Amino acid sequence: MTSLKHNEFVGSLDCGTTSIRFIIFDQFANIVAQYQSEFPQYYPNPGWHEHDPNEIQKVSEECIAKACENLENAGWAKESVKVIGITNQRETAVAWHRRTGKPLCNAIVWSDSRTKNTVAHFEHVLAETGFEVDTDQFKKGEEGVMALRDITGLKLSTYFSAIKLCWMIDNHVEVQKAHQDDNLLFGTVESWVVYNLTGGAHGGIHVGEVTNASRTLLMNLGKLKWDERLLKFFGLRTSILPKLVSSSEVYGYITTGPLKNIPIGGLVGDQQGALVGNKCLKEGEAKCTYGTGAFLLFCTGKDIIKSGHGLLSTVAYQPGPSAAPVYALEGSIGVAGSAIKWLRDSMGFIRSASEINDLARSVTDTGGVYFVTAFSGLLAPYWDPGAAGLLIGLSSYTTPAHIARAAIEANAFQTRAILESMKLDSKTDLKHLKVDGGMTNGDTCMEILANVGGFDVLRPEMRESTALGSALLAGAAIGLFGWDLAKPETLAGVNMKGSVEFRPQTSEAQREKAWSVWLRAVERSKGWEEGIAG
């Protein structure tokens, strides 16, 4: 048997919503080996979405083992992996027992909407009692809402994980008892996975990384600390929370499997991981990940920008335990790739998602058609849950190709809407937009994005940006390849192969005319559900 070669690689465990993958990169972000596997989704009631934490852990360990097999099959020793990073779906909440290390119930997934009544309860508390900003000093109503937002950067929503944890305590006897007995441990997915990889109930570490913690409603965004006032407001014990850690440091060592004794050196939420993976490390740089929905993050540097235009403030990354954090503004688009799926599965316009580009390219414009893809209301920057999907400008001239092109344009218009808000909030002009995710595979989609937005679009050949982000953070933690996020020039050679740039080809007059019509279409889609109810 040929002896295996040794090198230096970095691994990334990417714990997504429906699947997990472990990718092994070299210093230029070439993928040396990988393995991916899906895990079960549970929908016990309408609007509910759950995961079994044990299945997440089992599949995570399987992906690490299988990727290491593939690495050795490619001729490299598994000892070549020097450090791993972990990136994860951010707001999913996990509760487990301090002594046994076992989950107390299924995890509640970020997209789950069962907690509407929990949100309503806390809105009522804000209105009637208020939020205690200092001893016996309460702010009520809108002042309370703003106080909460000033501390966390967030709004009360079913989206964030503290709300999900409160629901667990109220509705699962086991979680309630563990909380009362001080046997409850809480964390987001990276916290759960690290706990188990480092020993679980037998010495596993309980840590939570700041980008994930910034999505809980429990962390002080400016101080990067759990905030006692928030814990008191939500009725939670401090002892249930993980120790807060930066995005790049050695947290602990893997205790089992083929990578036993290898350090875990990078943790980051998935959207922030994509920001780092796209090397948007300076103020004014932005990335958008186009999946089922789309998530746009705009780096604001060392400053927390409080949005007055419908965006959220968040931690972008903290490059080390003693390093200053970098912040971002975030805007979410509810429907991106799912509009293409709708054209395929519900309308039968295409047989596969990739055909959308050919169909859209078969016409030079939309023939006057505009498509507001508000299938479940509109997210940033509109925040209108009552908005409805709308196709307008239809005529006897309209064909499926025009509608397909309008669907792609809708994605571009919504991206521009978020970027316009980001420009107003940050007073910074966008240099270019870096992109990743499934929708970016098509050149037509990217050309339309550049034309509608009026900015350059940069698409790397290797678009596993989320995984690459956690790999860069992990490598930097041990000084691998000389990577240093405080010195972006040390990453100059990373993922530069085959990068494609799309530049606007339309005139500003054309662009502004189309934009003004889009805004009219959005106004017509707003408040539809409330209108029907009334």
Side-chain angles (χ1 to χ4, degrees), residues 113-123 158 167:
S113 61
R114 77 183 69 180
T115 54
K116 286 176 182 175
N117 287 339
T118 310
V119 171
H121 163 73
F122 286 113
E123 286 174 341
T158 60
W167 189 95

Side-chain angles (χ1 to χ4, degrees), residues 179-198:
H179 190 235
Q180 288 169 349
D181 298 344
D182 203 15
N183 276 321
L184 176 63
L185 294 181
F186 158 76
T188 39
V189 170
E190 92 292 353
S191 185
W192 167 250
V193 172
V194 169
Y195 174 78
N196 284 283
L197 287 178
T198 56

Side-chain angles (χ1 to χ4, degrees), residues 224-238:
L224 298 194
K225 290 181 178 177
W226 300 121
D227 196 295
E228 291 292 340
R229 296 168 295 178
L230 296 166
L231 288 161
K232 187 174 181 180
F233 178 73
F234 289 112
L236 300 170
R237 287 175 175 266
T238 309

Side-chain angles (χ1 to χ4, degrees), residues 139-406:
K139 290 195 173 180
K140 291 185 181 182
E142 190 58 33
E143 281 193 343
V145 171
M146 291 311 297
L148 203 69
R149 190 164 176 194
D150 283 346
I151 298 168
T152 64
L154 309 175
K155 52 171 68 182
L156 279 177
S157 166
T158 60
Y159 201 29
F160 304 115
S161 45
I163 300 288
K164 302 176 195 299
L165 176 61
C166 290
W167 189 95
M168 289 176 174
I169 291 170
D170 290 342
N171 292 276
H172 285 291
V173 174
E174 299 88 345
V175 181
Q176 189 177 90
K177 187 173 188 310
H179 190 235
Q180 288 169 349
D181 298 344
D182 203 15
N183 276 321
L184 176 63
L185 294 181
F186 158 76
T188 39
V189 170
E190 92 292 353
S191 185
W192 167 250
V193 172
V194 169
Y195 174 78
N196 284 283
L197 287 178
T198 56
H202 308 289
I205 61 171
H206 185 212
V207 295
E209 182 271 336
V210 290
T211 66
N212 284 289
S214 76
R215 314 295 289 185
T216 59
L217 273 173
L218 298 174
M219 192 187 82
N220 187 307
L221 195 62
K223 295 180 179 177
L224 298 194
K225 290 181 178 177
W226 300 121
D227 196 295
E228 291 292 340
R229 296 168 295 178
L230 296 166
L231 288 161
K232 187 174 181 180
F233 178 73
F234 289 112
L236 300 170
R237 287 175 175 266
T238 309
S239 59
I240 70 175
L241 297 173
K243 175 191 172 188
L244 282 174
V245 293
S246 76
S247 315
S248 180
E249 61 182 277
V250 174
Y251 316 100
Y253 295 82
I254 298 172
T255 57
T256 187
L259 295 183
K260 186 176 180 181
N261 298 325
I262 295 297
I264 303 169
L267 299 175
V268 68
D270 54 6
Q271 299 309 322
Q272 285 93 336
L275 188 78
V276 174
N278 276 302
K279 299 188 287 185
C280 295
L281 307 175
K282 295 177 182 175
E283 182 180 348
E285 294 183 328
K287 73 89 199 176
C288 195
T289 299
Y290 295 99
T292 302
F295 295 87
L296 204 155
L297 268 73
F298 181 98
C299 184
T300 60
K302 300 293 189 282
D303 297 324
I304 300 172
I305 304 292
K306 292 188 172 117
S307 176
H309 303 89
L311 307 175
L312 300 174
S313 307
T314 193
V315 181
Y317 62 95
Q318 186 189 11
S322 58
V326 175
Y327 292 97
L329 284 168
E330 176 169 337
S332 306
I333 298 168
V335 174
S338 52
I340 313 305
K341 189 180 177 199
W342 178 77
L343 290 175
R344 182 192 69 191
D345 298 344
S346 299
M347 304 305 290
F349 284 7
I350 49 177
R351 288 169 299 175
S352 67
S354 60
E355 289 178 20
I356 190 75
N357 286 278
D358 292 335
L359 184 58
R361 195 164 44 236
S362 68
V363 290
T364 55
D365 55 41
T366 66
V369 174
Y370 285 77
F371 189 178
V372 183
T373 52
F375 292 168
S376 303
L378 286 168
L379 296 181
Y382 310 107
W383 297 107
D384 183 356
L390 175 140
L391 269 167
I392 198 163
L394 299 173
S395 68
S396 54
Y397 173 72
T398 304
T399 67
H402 293 119
I403 294 172
R405 194 172 183 95

Side-chain angles (χ1 to χ4, degrees), residues 38-51:
E38 293 188 353
F39 60 93
Q41 310 292 308
Y42 299 100
Y43 305 97
N45 289 295
W48 293 31
H49 187 185
E50 297 181 355
H51 290 155

Side-chain angles (χ1 to χ4, degrees), residues 399-420:
T399 67
H402 293 119
I403 294 172
R405 194 172 183 95
I408 295 173
E409 283 196 359
N411 183 62
F413 281 124
Q414 289 184 87
T415 301
R416 174 169 172 175
I418 290 173
L419 286 168
E420 293 281 340

